[in-house]
Amino acid sequence: MIRLNWIVKASLFILLVSSACHETAHANPVEHVASADVVQPSWRDEVHAVWLNGPSNSAQLGGNWPNFSDQAPLLYASEHVCDPARTAYTGYKTSGAYCQASSNGLNANPHLVMYSGLVGFVLDASAQDGNFFPRLGSTSSGALTETMDATDAFESLTSSEVTATLNVQCTSIPQTTLTAKTAIGASVAEFGLVRKGHAVTQVTIDKLDWRTDTGDLFVIDPVCNEGLEETTSDCSSDFGTPAANNPCDTTDFPNCEGGMCYSGQVQDPSNSNCNQDYGAGNSNPCPLEYPNCVGFEQGVSWGRCFSSTTNSEVCDADYGATQGPCTSQDYPLCNLATNKCYRDESTCFLKSPWYDVAIWGDLVTINLHWDGASSPGCSGTVKLDVSVGTDLTIQKTADFSTESKVAVLLAAQESSSLLADKSNGDSNTDVNVFSSTVGATVLERSDFGDFIVEVPTSTGTCSYSNCGDSLYTTDISVANTDPSLSRTVRLSLSRNFVTGQTISQSRPRAEITGLNVMVWDRASQQPNGIPIHISKNWHYGGDSIYQGSWWTANLFFRLPPGSSIDLTFAIVYEQYRQIPAFSHAQLSIVGYSNKFLWEEAALGTGGENFCMDPLGSHTRAPITDVRPKLFDGKWKENVGGGDFLIYFDEQGVYQYQRKLDSNLLANGPCLSHSTYKSLSNDGKILSEIQVNGGRTDDTVRVFIRVRYSAQEATPFSRLAFFQFGSETYNYHAAFDSFKYGSTSTVQADFQRTCTAGKDRDRAKMYDSYGIHRQALEGTGPWWFSMSPNSEAVTYDSNTMVVGDRGLVVRSFQGRLGGTNVNSPSVSVLCDKIELGPPAGLSQLEAGDYVDMQLEMIILPRAGAEFNVAMQNSPNSLSLQYLSTLSTSWERIQAHAMHDVAVTSVSPPGAVIDSHYPIRVCVPAGANDVVEFTVTGQALGYVPIVVCGLESSILGPEQGLWRRNEGEPTFTRLEDETLARQSNYDRSTGNYELIFNVEILPGLAGKPESTTVFRFGPAPTPSPTPSPTPSPTPSPTLAPTPSPTAAPTPAPTPFPTLAPTPSPTPSPTPSPTLSPTPVPTPVPTSSPTPSPTPSPVSAPTPTLCPTNRRHLRHRWGRGGRRDGGGSTTAGTEQDCNDSENSRQPTTEGRNWRRRRPNFN
C-alpha cells in the first residue's frame, strides 16, 4: 500500500489521516506530541549478525586463506622454514603457501546468528534438507542481559523448521512435489548481505533449486531428455535472427566479437573492466597478457581486454559463416564453435527460488520468492511451512504461476516469550507515517513490516567534482493511534532501494560514496540522537534484485500510546557546514562478490578513503582500500591495506577469528564510530577494535583503538598486533624509504630495497631487513612514515594518484608474559610495518593484554599534489602549517609531535574518558554542564565528545564555549555548536554531543599551550580555571585504579572497547581480511541543476543523529580521569543534478570491485 504525502501541519494531518488510513482507528487517536527522549530504542532493540564459527565459510572466502582441515598439524624437521620453533617463524613455506591447514570448524557448522534482545534466528548455510532455519524464536529470557552475545542468543533460541515446497504440474509432466534445497553441486547456500546495522539486517539466501524427493532437478520439458544439442542441421545465428550478411572475410581476423573482427584469441577470461590499453596509464589499463581495451565509451560503458587485434571491420558472424539461423524453438541458440543449434540448459528446469530474510529489533520476516512466469507450461501451489518448537505452526500458500512470493512475519510480544504471527498485514497496526515534503513518497510494506520513505526525485546529487556545502531535508510525521499500547516504528529513508512496488525513484550518483543522513527534531531543527544507520550499494552484476545503486538510512524506535512525533531527515554530502564530513557505512557487495560484509568510509564525497572487510572474506585483510584526499571530488589510487591480530599457535597453525560482532554505531558526519569484537578460533585471545573517523579539512585521518586480552595461557609461534600494508593486501607500496621514531627523535631511516606486495616468500617477510620485534625507543607518541611514494602517475596526467602512508601510535599499554610493557616492538616486512610483542616472548599468560591507540594518516604526496589539496581546501590551518615542512615524513612526524591531553575537569565526578579524540562525560546531577582544560595542540579538527547528557536539544545560550590561554573570557563556538552530531546511548539512556574544533592557534603554535572548554549555558562573567588539581602529565591507557581520593565513578579494570563478557568457547569471527577493490569512475554525462528542493543552508543547530550502543567503550588515551585529575586505568555550492540516469557502474583493479560511475 502506498501512502501519499499530506501537505498540512504535522499536528493537524496526523489527526486527519490516522482515521482515514486505518478503518479500525481508535476514536481518540493522538493526544500528545512525543519527544525523542521517550521514543529511543533500548539495548534489546539492537540487531546483530554474527558468524558463530568463523569468517563465514570457505565457500564465501576469497584468496590468501589457508586450507581448512580436521587433521592434526603436520610435523616438520628442526630448522625447516615451517618449524614453528624457528626464529622469526612466518607461518608460510618459501613459496608463500601456509605451512599448516587451519581448523575446519567454520565449515562444520556454518551458522549465522541474527538476533536482538527480543528475537532471533540461526541460518545454516550447509543445510541439505531444505531447513535453513534450525533455530528461531524469542531471546527475551530474563536471564539474558545487555552483555548477551551470539552464543547466548544461539542457546536461547528454540528448535525450528522452515521449509518451502512446490506442488507443480507441467505440460506432459505428472504432478510432482518439490522442495527448495541447496543447489546441486553447491556445498552451501549463499548468503548475500543486503543491509546490516543496529536497526535492521537483511540477508538473501541463494544457490537453491526446486528438487525432487530423490534430490534431482525437475525437468519441465520432455525435449530436454533427448539432449541439449540438435545434430541434424547447421547454423550461423540464433532462431529468429536474419541470416549472416557480413561474416568476417579473412582468416587473419576470423572472430566476430561485439560487431568487430578480431585475430586469434579473444577476451580476458577474468572479464575485468578497462578504460585504456596496457601501459597507457595507472587507472584501469588492460594487463600485459590482454593488452587491448575494446569497447570503452566515456560515460556509457567500460571496455573489455583482448589479446588480439582488430581490423575494425563490421561483422555479424565469424569467418565462413554461411549457414542460416536455427529453425526450431526447441533448440533456438546457435553454437558458433560447432555451428549446431542447442538450448540453454536452464530452460529445462524451473527457475531457482530464493529467500529474503530480515530482522528488526522486534520482528523477523521470511519472504520466499520464485519465478513461475518463466515456466508458462507449469502451474501449482507454493507452501511455506514454519514451526517454532511445539507452540507455533504457520503455513502460507500462494499460486505458483500468478504470484511470486509468500511471507511469514513473527513479532516479539511484551507479555509472552512466544512469538506472534504477524503475517496477515497487521505488523504496523496503529502506526501511520506521512510526509509533507513535496515529492516524497511513503510506502507501507506489509511483507516486511516496515515503512519506506522515498526521497523526492528532485533531491540533489553530485558529480565527481567538489560538491560543496549542500543539505537536503525530508520531513515526516509518525503517529500511534492506539490509546493504551506503545508501538514500534520500523522505517527506512530510501533513494532507489528495491521496495517491491512501483513508486517514483531516482538514482544516487557520486555523492553515494560519502553521504550522511541525520535525524533532527523538526520544531527546533536540532539533531535528536535517534540511532540511524546507512546501508548502500553501487555494484551491478548477477541476478539479485538488490544489485545496482541505492541507499537506505534505517531507524527503529518506540512511540508511546496516542502520540506522534515530527522528524526531519537531513542529508549531507561533501561538507557539513563548510567542513568536509566523515562518513562510514555498510556497502553491500551484492552484485559484486556476495562475500557478505564490506564497509566504506570517506572524507567528503568523490570516492573511498578507508575501507574494511571486517571478516577478511576477500583477502584475509580487514583493512583494504585506503586513499588520499585532495578535495577535488575525484577518486584516488589505493595504497591499502592493513591487518589486526595475526596469531599462529605453538604448532604453527593460523588461528582465524570467529564470532565477529561488528557494530557500525555512528555513520558520521562529525565522528563515525564502529566496533569489532571477536575471538580467536581456539578461544584464547579476545580482540576488540574501535574505528573512528572525524570531520576535518586537511587529510584522511582514521583513529583505531586496539585491545587484545588473553583468556588463558597462550603459547604462540607468531603474534602480531597490527600491520600497515598487509601481507595479504598491499597495493601501490612504491615508497622510497622507511622512517620511524618517537616525537622529535628519528630512530630508523633507511631505503626500501624490497618489493613484495602480497608475496609471502620468506625473503620478503622478516628476513627482508633483519628488523624483527625491535623495541621502539622513547615514550611516544611513536610515528612511522612510508614515503615518498614514487608511483609514476602524477596529477597533471591522471587525477587518480597515490598518497603517502603514515602511522602514529598515540599510546601503548600492555602486560605481556606477566610483565608490564609500555611500548610496542616493530618488525619491517619488505614494504610493510608490523607492531608486535617484544623479542624473546613466546607465550601470553592469562590476563595479559595490549591496549593501543593508532592513527592512520594518508597524505597527498609532497609537491604538486599537496599543493592541489591546499588550493581546494584553502582555509585549512593544518595544511598551511604542514606546507612549511618539505617532506611527507616530516609531516607525519609533526602529527606525533602535536598531541593533546585533557589535564583537568570539573565538576567533581566528571570523567575524562579519552584524551584524543577528546571525550569528557558529565556526572549525574550536573545539569549537563562540564568544564575541562586541554593542554597541547593537534593537527586537523579535533573531535570533542561530551557524553552523559540528559538531553540532545540545546537552549538558546547553550553550546560549546572556549577560552584560549591568556584570554579573560569565554567565547561561544557558534559554528562548531551548530555543526554538531548527537548520539543516543542505549546502555545509559543518555546522550553525547560531538563537536569538531581546531586546537592549533597559529601555524606553529605553542605545544605547551592550554585551552579551557566549557559545555553548557553562558559561563559566569569571571570564569576561573578548572578547579581540579593538575594531574600526572602523561596520560596512559593503563588499567590501574584511580590513585586519588577525588570522587570518581568506579573505574573499569581497564578501558575496554566493548562491554561484552569474556567469550565462551563458542566460535567467533574476527575482524580481519578484506575485499580488495580498486574502482575507478566511469564518467557520465555532465550534471544539470536540479529544481526542488534547492540546497538549504544548514538550519540552525544542525546536527547529525548517530547512535553508539556502548558509549562506555573506552577509546582514547589515558584511561579514565576523575574530577581531581587522577587516572584510573565553500562555500555552499549547487551540486544538484536532476540527471538521474546513471551509467552502469563498475570497475576494478586488484579484486575488481565495482565503483560507482557518475560524473
Side-chain angles (χ1 to χ4, degrees):
M1 169 173 66
I2 296 179
R3 300 235 176 118
L4 301 178
N5 300 303
W6 296 78
I7 311 175
V8 289
K9 291 186 177 179
S11 58
L12 177 60
F13 79 66
I14 292 178
L15 290 170
L16 291 175
V17 218
S18 57
S19 58
C21 290
H22 286 291
E23 295 179 2
T24 59
H26 296 279
N28 187 19
V30 178
E31 295 182 344
H32 63 273
V33 175
S35 68
D37 297 341
V38 300
V39 307
Q40 299 286 5
S42 75
W43 68 266
R44 285 194 179 275
D45 301 321
E46 186 172 294
V47 171
H48 304 259
V50 176
W51 286 96
L52 205 55
N53 297 307
S56 67
N57 56 82
S58 59
Q60 287 194 249
L61 298 181
N64 300 312
W65 281 91
N67 293 324
F68 302 98
S69 172
D70 294 322
Q71 297 182 359
L74 301 171
L75 297 178
Y76 288 95
S78 178
E79 291 305 308
H80 188 280
V81 293
C82 284
D83 176 12
R86 184 184 175 107
T87 302
Y89 174 78
T90 68
Y92 308 108
K93 302 175 183 178
T94 303
S95 64
Y98 287 82
C99 291
Q100 304 280 6
S102 287
S103 165
N104 196 46
L106 78 171
N107 293 321
N109 293 291
H111 291 157
L112 175 63
V113 186
M114 298 174 65
Y115 68 97
S116 70
L118 295 172
V119 294
F121 56 89
V122 176
L123 294 180
D124 182 2
S126 64
Q128 296 297 313
D129 60 355
N131 180 25
F132 299 100
F133 300 78
R135 295 190 177 214
L136 191 158
S138 170
T139 58
S140 60
S141 164
L144 296 178
T145 67
E146 184 180 355
T147 58
M148 69 181 292
D149 67 3
T151 300
D152 299 322
F154 181 93
E155 293 174 350
S156 71
L157 294 171
T158 306
S159 295
S160 61
E161 185 170 4
V162 178
T163 56
T165 56
L166 167 61
N167 195 307
V168 64
Q169 182 171 11
C170 300
T171 305
S172 305
I173 304 292
Q175 189 176 68
T176 307
T177 299
L178 310 173
T179 303
K181 296 182 179 181
T182 304
I184 290 179
S187 59
V188 293
E190 182 176 86
F191 295 167
L193 186 60
V194 181
R195 294 186 289 172
K196 183 184 186 302
H198 50 74
V200 60
T201 294
Q202 181 178 1
V203 170
T204 58
I205 306 177
D206 295 292
K207 289 193 175 177
L208 309 180
D209 282 331
W210 289 115
R211 296 170 62 174
T212 65
D213 291 342
T214 59
D216 299 320
L217 291 176
F218 177 62
V219 178
I220 62 175
D221 188 340
V223 174
C224 296
N225 295 320
E226 301 173 11
L228 297 176
E229 187 170 82
E230 186 180 38
T231 59
T232 57
S233 60
D234 294 331
C235 64
S236 59
S237 62
D238 295 343
F239 176 84
T241 60
N245 293 319
N246 296 303
C248 295
D249 60 6
T250 170
T251 55
D252 292 334
F253 299 91
N255 303 312
C256 185
E257 295 283 343
M260 301 179 70
C261 296
Y262 291 88
S263 64
Q265 202 267 328
V266 278
Q267 187 177 337
D268 177 359
S270 71
N271 203 36
S272 59
N273 302 315
C274 64
N275 62 4
Q276 52 195 304
D277 292 342
Y278 170 77
N282 205 31
S283 173
N284 295 43
C286 288
L288 175 63
E289 298 80 5
Y290 302 91
N292 305 303
C293 184
V294 177
F296 172 74
E297 185 175 350
Q298 186 93 346
V300 177
S301 63
W302 289 102
R304 294 291 183 265
C305 298
F306 290 82
S307 64
S308 54
T309 57
T310 177
N311 63 358
S312 300
E313 177 187 349
V314 176
C315 61
D316 61 9
D318 291 346
Y319 174 79
T322 58
Q323 301 86 355
C326 294
T327 58
S328 169
Q329 294 190 48
D330 287 339
Y331 301 95
L333 305 176
C334 183
N335 183 339
L336 296 179
T338 63
N339 294 117
K340 297 296 182 183
C341 296
Y342 72 102
R343 71 181 296 160
D344 183 351
E345 184 179 19
S346 66
T347 63
C348 296
F349 311 106
L350 299 172
K351 294 293 184 182
S352 299
W354 59 281
Y355 285 100
D356 192 348
V357 183
I359 179 172
W360 292 83
D362 67 336
L363 184 73
V364 171
T365 69
I366 303 172
N367 280 257
L368 174 71
H369 296 252
W370 64 89
D371 181 4
S374 64
S375 304
C378 301
S379 61
T381 301
V382 176
K383 289 193 301 182
L384 181 61
D385 289 289
V386 177
S387 61
V388 181
T390 58
D391 299 312
L392 181 63
T393 301
I394 302 170
Q395 182 180 92
K396 295 295 177 182
T397 62
D399 185 80
F400 174 71
S401 55
T402 61
E403 300 178 76
S404 59
K405 71 174 179 179
V406 65
V408 167
L409 286 74
L410 300 170
Q413 301 184 84
E414 291 185 11
S415 57
S416 172
S417 61
L418 300 179
L419 300 184
D421 181 8
K422 295 291 183 180
S423 309
N424 298 316
D426 55 347
S427 56
N428 294 315
T429 298
D430 300 316
V431 176
N432 299 303
V433 179
F434 311 99
S435 176
S436 59
T437 299
V438 175
T441 303
V442 178
L443 174 70
E444 179 181 356
R445 302 198 303 170
S446 59
D447 49 352
F448 280 94
D450 62 5
F451 291 88
I452 299 287
V453 179
E454 183 72 13
V455 299
T457 58
S458 56
T459 301
T461 61
C462 295
S463 61
Y464 282 119
S465 60
N466 193 317
C467 198
D469 187 9
S470 298
L471 184 147
Y472 303 90
T473 60
T474 297
D475 293 335
I476 66 164
S477 292
V478 186
N480 173 13
T481 60
D482 191 303
S484 58
L485 296 175
S486 63
R487 296 296 185 186
T488 56
V489 179
R490 311 171 203 95
L491 190 147
S492 298
L493 186 73
S494 158
R495 188 160 205 168
N496 205 43
F497 186 61
V498 178
T499 65
Q501 299 187 35
T502 301
I503 58 175
S504 180
Q505 294 182 299
S506 60
R507 292 178 178 178
R509 298 189 65 198
E511 76 283 351
I512 195 173
T513 59
L515 84 156
N516 276 285
V517 179
M518 302 174 280
V519 184
W520 289 350
D521 170 73
R522 194 196 304 175
S524 67
Q525 292 290 277
Q526 296 189 45
N528 59 21
I530 293 178
I532 188 169
H533 70 84
I534 296 172
S535 293
K536 58 189 181 182
N537 196 2
W538 62 60
H539 303 106
Y540 287 82
D543 300 324
S544 174
I545 64 171
Y546 294 109
Q547 64 167 324
S549 178
W550 52 262
W551 59 257
T552 63
N554 313 284
L555 63 161
F556 176 100
F557 59 89
R558 296 176 179 275
L559 203 52
S563 67
S564 65
I565 189 168
D566 300 332
L567 303 172
T568 293
F569 290 107
I571 305 169
V572 171
Y573 297 155
E574 171 72 21
Q575 296 178 355
Y576 181 34
R577 297 196 72 86
Q578 301 185 4
I579 304 300
F582 195 90
S583 64
H584 185 168
Q586 178 240 338
L587 174 62
S588 176
I589 46 178
V590 170
Y592 165 62
S593 70
N594 260 10
K595 294 189 184 302
F596 210 67
L597 179 60
W598 182 274
E599 295 174 2
E600 180 260 347
L603 179 61
T605 61
E608 306 164 339
N609 293 116
F610 181 81
C611 290
M612 292 189 67
D613 175 0
L615 292 165
S617 301
H618 292 75
T619 67
R620 212 204 74 188
I623 299 175
T624 55
D625 299 11
V626 177
R627 307 169 191 270
K629 176 80 173 180
L630 272 63
F631 303 98
D632 57 355
K634 295 178 172 58
W635 281 76
K636 297 297 171 276
E637 190 53 272
N638 178 15
V639 292
D643 210 339
F644 296 116
L645 183 68
I646 300 175
Y647 163 40
F648 289 78
D649 66 17
E650 74 276 20
Q651 295 180 300
V653 175
Y654 176 71
Q655 294 291 332
Y656 53 78
Q657 299 289 297
R658 59 183 172 88
K659 218 164 91 173
L660 172 72
D661 189 3
S662 63
N663 289 283
L664 221 173
L665 298 168
N667 296 114
C670 299
L671 186 69
S672 68
H673 180 63
S674 57
T675 64
Y676 310 87
K677 183 174 182 180
S678 60
L679 190 68
S680 60
N681 186 58
D682 60 7
K684 294 183 177 181
I685 301 180
L686 173 67
S687 171
E688 298 169 283
I689 310 295
Q690 287 188 199
V691 175
N692 306 90
R695 169 178 170 263
T696 189
D697 65 355
D698 59 335
T699 192
V700 177
R701 183 181 293 105
V702 178
F703 308 103
I704 302 175
R705 178 73 179 272
V706 176
R707 181 176 177 83
Y708 306 120
S709 51
Q711 308 300 291
E712 58 183 274
T714 308
F716 59 86
S717 55
R718 182 186 175 195
L719 186 66
F721 302 145
F722 185 79
Q723 283 187 346
F724 193 5
S726 166
E727 64 195 40
T728 62
Y729 190 99
N730 187 36
Y731 284 91
H732 300 284
F735 52 89
D736 290 346
S737 66
F738 291 95
K739 286 186 175 68
Y740 55 86
S742 175
T743 59
S744 61
T745 303
V746 178
Q747 178 177 341
D749 179 357
F750 56 94
Q751 295 295 302
R752 179 184 61 84
T753 58
C754 172
T755 299
K758 299 176 290 182
D759 189 344
R760 297 184 294 276
D761 183 289
R762 185 175 177 86
K764 296 185 177 182
M765 296 286 284
Y766 295 131
D767 290 353
S768 53
Y769 302 100
I771 301 175
H772 178 236
R773 292 163 70 173
Q774 177 187 86
L776 285 173
E777 300 171 357
T779 58
W782 300 272
W783 55 272
F784 300 85
S785 170
M786 291 170 269
S787 66
N789 197 312
S790 56
E791 283 272 354
V793 176
T794 57
Y795 192 84
D796 55 357
S797 63
N798 189 331
T799 59
M800 193 161 176
V801 293
V802 297
D804 288 332
R805 293 175 178 173
L807 179 69
V808 175
V809 182
R810 287 283 170 192
S811 61
F812 183 94
Q813 178 95 23
R815 184 169 60 247
L816 299 171
T819 301
N820 290 338
V821 178
N822 294 316
S823 64
S825 296
V826 62
S827 301
V828 182
L829 295 77
C830 191
D831 48 10
K832 296 169 279 289
I833 287 286
E834 179 179 286
L835 302 178
L841 183 70
S842 60
Q843 177 168 309
L844 301 179
E845 303 300 332
D848 278 4
Y849 73 96
V850 166
D851 197 336
M852 61 181 178
Q853 181 173 338
L854 310 176
E855 191 175 331
M856 285 182 63
I857 302 161
I858 307 299
L859 286 172
R861 291 185 292 186
E865 290 160 20
F866 190 89
N867 292 339
V868 169
M870 286 192 64
Q871 292 164 12
N872 292 324
S873 186
N875 298 321
S876 171
L877 291 179
S878 295
L879 287 179
Q880 292 171 32
Y881 168 66
L882 292 173
S883 70
T884 66
L885 307 173
S886 59
T887 63
S888 285
W889 79 263
E890 293 173 293
R891 293 167 181 169
I892 296 299
Q893 182 188 47
H895 278 77
M897 294 175 65
H898 285 75
D899 201 20
V900 295
V902 183
T903 52
S904 63
V905 63
S906 67
V911 173
I912 301 171
D913 206 23
S914 167
H915 292 271
Y916 184 64
I918 294 169
R919 180 177 165 83
V920 177
C921 295
V922 179
N927 297 318
D928 285 359
V929 176
V930 68
E931 190 171 303
F932 52 96
T933 300
V934 176
T935 300
Q937 300 179 6
L939 294 170
Y941 276 73
V942 177
I944 295 180
V945 183
V946 180
C947 53
L949 301 174
E950 295 179 3
S951 175
S952 66
I953 305 300
L954 301 185
E957 292 192 4
Q958 284 184 302
L960 187 66
W961 302 75
R962 174 178 185 159
R963 180 167 58 82
N964 292 328
E965 184 175 3
E967 294 178 351
T969 58
F970 281 92
T971 300
R972 188 175 190 265
L973 299 177
E974 300 292 343
D975 289 342
E976 290 83 348
T977 296
L978 293 179
R980 69 189 184 276
Q981 171 180 324
S982 173
N983 298 333
Y984 177 73
D985 182 354
R986 301 169 190 253
S987 311
T988 64
N990 292 327
Y991 294 88
E992 66 177 16
L993 297 182
I994 302 172
F995 310 88
N996 304 104
V997 180
E998 284 187 298
I999 310 180
L1000 186 68
L1003 291 181
K1006 301 176 184 178
E1008 72 283 1
S1009 64
T1010 61
T1011 308
V1012 181
F1013 291 94
R1014 175 186 174 90
F1015 175 79
T1020 56
S1022 302
T1024 57
S1026 179
T1028 60
S1030 179
T1032 47
S1034 51
T1036 68
L1037 294 171
T1040 57
S1042 175
T1044 73
T1048 157
T1052 53
F1054 17 47
T1056 65
L1057 293 174
T1060 53
S1062 288
T1064 66
S1066 51
T1068 115
S1070 123
T1072 64
L1073 298 47
S1074 74
T1076 102
V1078 174
T1080 75
V1082 176
T1084 66
S1085 54
S1086 60
T1088 59
S1090 160
T1092 44
S1094 57
V1096 233
S1097 56
T1100 29
T1102 65
L1103 188 39
C1104 84
T1106 330
N1107 80 319
R1108 283 196 351 201
R1109 173 178 174 211
H1110 296 295
L1111 301 183
R1112 64 175 186 269
H1113 295 184
R1114 312 304 178 195
W1115 45 260
R1117 290 181 302 106
R1120 302 172 53 170
R1121 290 181 183 273
D1122 62 28
S1126 60
T1127 304
T1128 69
T1131 355
E1132 180 174 318
Q1133 297 181 13
D1134 182 2
C1135 60
N1136 303 352
D1137 197 332
S1138 59
E1139 214 281 299
N1140 291 309
S1141 65
R1142 215 189 104 194
Q1143 304 306 331
T1145 138
T1146 60
E1147 194 294 298
R1149 246 166 337 190
N1150 306 344
W1151 282 88
R1152 293 182 288 277
R1153 184 167 53 81
R1154 303 173 190 267
R1155 166 185 315 147
N1157 163 34
F1158 340 94
N1159 262 337

